[in-house]
Amino acid sequence: MADQLALSLRAWPSDDTSTESLSYLIARINEQRGSFRSVTEASLEDDIRAANVGEEDHLPDDYDASQESQDANAKGEELAIAREDMIKRVGEAYNTCSQALDLVSLLLTSHTPKVAEATVSPYVKQTVSFGSLGAEIMQHTNEAGSQQTSEDLVGLGWRMRSLTRSADSILTSATRLEQEMERESTYWQQILEIKEAGWPVSRLPGDRQTLGVRFGFAEGMDPESCSLFLLRLKIWSAAHAEFRDRGLVALRRDADGNVELDHGQRWRGEKRIRVRVVKDGRVLAEPPTRSTGDNKTLSQRLLRARNSLFDEELYHELSREGRNLVSHSVRCIGPSICVPYDADSQIEISLVDVALEEPLDVSCEDSSIPSAIAITLRLLLSHAHRQNLHRRTQPPPPITDTPIARPVYSLLRPILEIIQHQSARKTVEAEFTALNLALSSADLLFTAEETSSSLYLNRAIDDFPTDPSTARTFINRLIRPHHSQITLSLPKSTTLMLDINTSVFPPIFGTSFQLTATSSAPGSAVAEMPHVMPFPTIEALRKHIWYVTSLDIVAALQAMPPASSWTQTSRYQAELQRKIVASEPKDRVSVSLDSEGLAVSWVCSGTTGSRVWRSDSRAEEGVSSLVDVMNEQFG
């Protein structure tokens, strides 16, 4: 028994000396003494006695205590490894046996469930139902050849099916690729068409993978790029940021490959400027509604989008300018801008949606005036864009702390000038026509010739330039003060030259009249008058022309044979007198002009009389001329 090696199945103790548990002590005793069987009371007393008397000094010379301790540690480690391996193998064997027992027991539950139930593990009882596993004996067949043939046929069928699916997938991919190529060809063909048409195509700034086209007007909608000092102008940049950004749209591809314009969320439909002449809420004149067309080509859609954006900017600038023209009776009422046209009508400018625009009323009159105004406004905005380009080429002003206000375009002012000038000309021409009819009915010579004139709204369409070379000249005629000149030839020797000037810009602010009188008679009253006389109102001008014409008629009568013996009472009075008999009163003839026509009154031998030639006297039968009346009364 003493020669046998006793093995312990416990783990090798750790080197932690602070642990004083019973298991630790038992393991330590087994390590030092071998087994409890060899440890007796006598052996322990011998060890104590030997330690006391110093028996340890009698150990052999070659005794090495550290070597003995290392051997003991190595032996303990080998035993621990062997023990762990043995426990692992025993556990695997136990697990295999348990699974085999569970399998056999489940098979037996189909035949003898009560007997097999005693050998089934608790885990299998909870997870698997009894009788769910069965077994039967299969008869061995010797048909290996036919089975192999069937398997080959099945494999061939599967391979053919897989090849068919692959072919169909390839054909579908080829068809889809062909359709995609057609869509791409259509897309790039349309891109090439608008590129060749002159539309700038580039990548979008925020999305470098998407193409875009710019159809906006850079000079009118990108003032921030004029110079660095304009970056501080918040009002300028805010007013044009929307128009600038909307001038660049993405070119998307639709399902058919056609190019689709992606205007973004700020697109509110196609707009246009509508100009109408309105009187008491009734439309008198309006240009015909612009046809939307089919817009089949991309260039047509881009052109319509550009025109819509241009009209939106035009209406924005008109609204800004209209608020500064209240003194000229311009009103911004709701969505419309109202400009006075004549005494009882006005011009209404509004921005309308093309899709929601109402059809034109067939009862409207001639549409030349609103059409001319609409085209003129667009030309003036284009001129403002060119002025922006000119400012960009000039050196910027010095940077100051004072913000620079954004200038207001002069778009309505030229229209107001034309309307006011046209109204003044119509009034003057009406006066001259009535005067001519009255003098003609009296058989007196009177002519009115227009030697210089400005634009008429109803004739402006014919004057619009058809080529860019004459556009600048036409714009200069629009923005400069309007001037007209009319030459009047009176019956005797007086020539009147009337200059009509109209401007709504400083320092005139309205219409002024300037009359230049020229007389061939050196001593006449007309010759002694100021050569050039300005008149602030047309009423003052009218009275002065009547007065000068009356003096000239008196001079003409004095030169005629019936009145050659007459003398003028005063150089500044339109009156003739003569004295035949000293004891009798003088004969007198007085000439006057007013709104009723030409009036001649006389005193002959104490008898008074008068005659009036109105503008419609020529239509009467038996109307005598002024010479006939003089011969009849004083002949």
Side-chain angles (χ1 to χ4, degrees):
M1 291 292 294
D3 298 337
Q4 296 181 356
L5 177 64
L7 298 178
S8 176
L9 299 180
R10 293 183 179 275
W12 189 261
S14 62
D15 295 336
D16 188 3
T17 57
S18 62
T19 305
E20 298 296 337
S21 63
L22 180 62
S23 61
Y24 174 76
L25 295 175
I26 293 173
R28 183 176 178 181
I29 293 173
N30 288 332
E31 181 182 357
Q32 293 178 357
R33 299 292 179 178
S35 175
F36 282 96
R37 295 176 182 178
S38 59
V39 178
T40 60
E41 184 179 358
S43 62
L44 293 176
E45 291 178 353
D46 294 338
D47 291 340
I48 295 172
R49 191 182 303 110
N52 293 331
V53 298
E55 291 184 359
E56 294 180 358
D57 297 333
H58 301 284
L59 294 175
D61 297 336
D62 57 351
Y63 178 76
D64 190 355
S66 62
Q67 182 67 31
E68 182 179 0
S69 176
Q70 291 179 0
D71 295 341
N73 292 335
K75 182 178 179 182
E77 292 178 358
E78 292 178 359
L79 291 175
I81 294 173
R83 178 176 175 277
E84 292 177 359
D85 184 64
M86 183 179 65
I87 292 174
K88 179 179 179 181
R89 293 181 181 274
V90 169
E92 292 177 355
Y94 177 77
N95 187 29
T96 303
C97 294
S98 298
Q99 292 178 357
L101 179 61
D102 289 338
L103 178 63
V104 174
S105 299
L106 283 175
L107 289 173
L108 292 178
T109 55
S110 301
H111 305 283
T112 56
K114 293 184 178 181
V115 177
E117 182 179 359
T119 58
V120 178
S121 64
Y123 176 76
V124 176
K125 289 181 180 180
Q126 296 176 1
T127 55
V128 183
S129 302
F130 288 167
S132 60
L133 184 63
E136 61 181 8
I137 300 176
M138 300 292 295
Q139 296 294 331
H140 178 70
T141 58
N142 195 16
E143 298 179 356
S146 59
Q147 183 178 2
Q148 184 67 29
T149 303
S150 300
E151 292 178 355
D152 293 342
L153 292 176
V154 171
L156 180 61
W158 278 104
R159 285 193 296 272
M160 292 180 63
R161 184 176 180 181
S162 300
L163 291 175
T164 303
R165 290 180 177 178
S166 301
D168 294 341
S169 176
I170 293 174
L171 290 176
T172 303
S173 301
T175 303
R176 186 173 63 253
L177 181 60
E178 183 179 2
Q179 295 175 354
E180 186 69 19
M181 290 176 59
E182 293 178 357
R183 298 189 190 102
E184 284 291 323
S185 299
T186 303
Y187 175 79
W188 288 107
Q189 181 65 30
Q190 295 182 6
I191 294 293
L192 183 61
E193 289 178 359
I194 63 173
K195 182 70 175 178
E196 293 176 351
W199 298 97
V201 179
S202 62
R203 298 182 185 272
L204 292 180
D207 186 5
R208 307 299 297 176
Q209 303 298 325
T210 305
L211 289 179
V213 57
R214 179 171 293 280
F215 58 84
F217 302 88
E219 302 306 328
M221 308 189 205
D222 193 10
E224 292 179 298
S225 62
C226 295
S227 56
L228 293 178
F229 83 98
L230 289 179
L231 293 175
R232 300 189 296 113
L233 303 183
K234 304 301 182 182
I235 298 178
W236 186 301
S237 59
H240 288 78
E242 180 181 0
F243 300 111
R244 179 196 60 204
D245 297 340
R246 289 171 55 192
L248 178 64
V249 297
L251 299 174
R252 310 286 185 186
R253 197 192 72 177
D254 60 5
D256 298 330
N258 297 319
V259 176
E260 181 179 357
L261 300 179
D262 186 5
H263 294 275
Q265 297 180 355
R266 287 178 294 181
W267 174 253
R268 296 185 294 270
E270 185 180 354
K271 309 288 185 179
R272 80 171 186 94
I273 288 291
R274 182 180 65 187
V275 181
R276 301 189 296 184
V277 179
V278 181
K279 178 181 179 181
D280 297 332
R282 184 172 62 90
V283 178
L284 299 180
E286 180 183 355
T289 305
R290 185 172 56 191
S291 176
T292 56
D294 296 335
N295 296 329
K296 294 182 178 180
T297 64
L298 182 59
S299 296
Q300 292 177 351
R301 285 182 287 164
L302 286 173
L303 184 61
R304 296 185 66 85
R306 184 196 67 177
N307 295 340
S308 175
L309 187 61
F310 184 84
D311 282 2
E312 288 187 49
E313 185 193 5
L314 175 60
Y315 184 76
H316 173 75
E317 296 297 335
L318 290 175
S319 300
R320 293 183 64 242
E321 186 185 12
R323 291 191 290 267
N324 299 331
L325 297 177
V326 179
S327 59
H328 294 274
S329 300
V330 177
R331 299 290 183 268
C332 296
I333 303 174
S336 302
I337 303 173
C338 299
V339 180
Y341 180 59
D342 52 21
D344 54 354
S345 63
Q346 60 184 359
I347 296 172
E348 183 183 271
I349 304 173
S350 57
L351 184 68
V352 297
D353 194 338
V354 175
L356 303 178
E357 188 175 5
E358 299 178 357
L360 178 64
D361 190 357
V362 296
S363 62
C364 292
E365 300 176 358
D366 184 21
S367 62
S368 59
I369 292 177
S371 298
I373 293 176
I375 299 176
T376 302
L377 290 175
R378 294 185 176 97
L379 287 176
L380 290 173
L381 181 58
S382 299
H383 175 71
H385 289 176
R386 287 192 294 271
Q387 293 298 320
N388 289 340
L389 176 60
H390 177 71
R391 282 192 293 269
R392 290 180 59 187
T393 59
Q394 301 301 316
I399 299 178
T400 61
D401 295 334
T402 304
I404 302 176
R406 177 173 172 259
V408 178
Y409 297 155
S410 296
L411 305 176
L412 290 175
R413 294 177 187 270
I415 301 298
L416 287 173
E417 284 185 356
I418 294 177
I419 294 175
Q420 294 180 10
H421 191 78
Q422 181 175 336
S423 177
R425 285 175 55 179
K426 285 183 178 180
T427 304
V428 171
E429 289 175 357
E431 292 293 335
F432 291 163
T433 301
L435 183 59
N436 183 28
L437 292 176
L439 296 182
S440 297
S441 61
D443 200 14
L444 295 175
L445 179 62
F446 178 86
T447 59
E449 181 181 0
E450 187 176 19
T451 57
S452 177
S453 64
S454 62
L455 293 175
Y456 268 100
L457 284 178
N458 54 356
R459 305 175 192 169
I461 294 182
D462 299 332
D463 296 335
F464 284 149
T466 56
D467 57 291
S469 61
T470 58
R472 189 177 299 275
T473 303
F474 181 79
I475 292 295
N476 291 334
R477 293 184 63 189
L478 286 175
I479 61 178
R480 70 186 181 186
H482 292 269
H483 171 261
S484 295
Q485 189 177 76
I486 301 176
T487 303
L488 304 178
S489 298
L490 301 185
K492 181 66 172 80
S493 58
T494 303
T495 302
L496 300 179
M497 185 176 296
L498 176 62
D499 293 313
I500 307 174
N501 298 294
T502 304
S503 176
V504 295
F505 296 93
I508 298 178
F509 288 111
T511 303
S512 62
F513 305 93
Q514 184 174 307
L515 187 64
T516 303
T518 304
S519 178
S520 59
S524 62
V526 177
E528 294 183 0
M529 291 180 182
H531 184 65
V532 178
M533 297 182 64
F535 297 92
T537 61
I538 195 171
E539 183 66 25
L541 173 66
R542 181 190 298 116
K543 292 181 179 180
H544 185 74
I545 291 178
W546 287 344
Y547 172 66
V548 173
T549 305
S550 301
L551 294 178
D552 191 82
I553 292 175
V554 168
L557 287 176
Q558 192 176 5
M560 294 179 182
S564 58
S565 59
W566 295 68
T567 59
Q568 192 171 356
T569 304
S570 174
R571 287 186 303 176
Y572 300 103
Q573 292 183 2
E575 186 177 271
L576 294 176
Q577 64 180 359
R578 72 174 181 178
K579 189 174 181 63
I580 300 178
V581 180
S583 60
E584 295 180 359
K586 295 180 180 181
D587 295 337
R588 296 179 182 274
V589 176
S590 178
V591 179
S592 63
L593 283 170
D594 55 16
S595 58
E596 298 294 332
L598 173 62
V600 177
S601 59
W602 60 85
V603 177
C604 180
S605 301
T607 304
T608 61
S610 64
R611 179 61 188 271
V612 178
W613 286 269
R614 294 182 175 86
S615 59
D616 55 350
S617 298
R618 182 177 292 274
E620 300 178 2
E621 296 182 0
V623 177
S624 300
S625 64
L626 179 58
V627 177
D628 295 338
V629 172
M630 292 294 293
N631 290 331
E632 179 182 351
Q633 299 296 330
F634 303 99

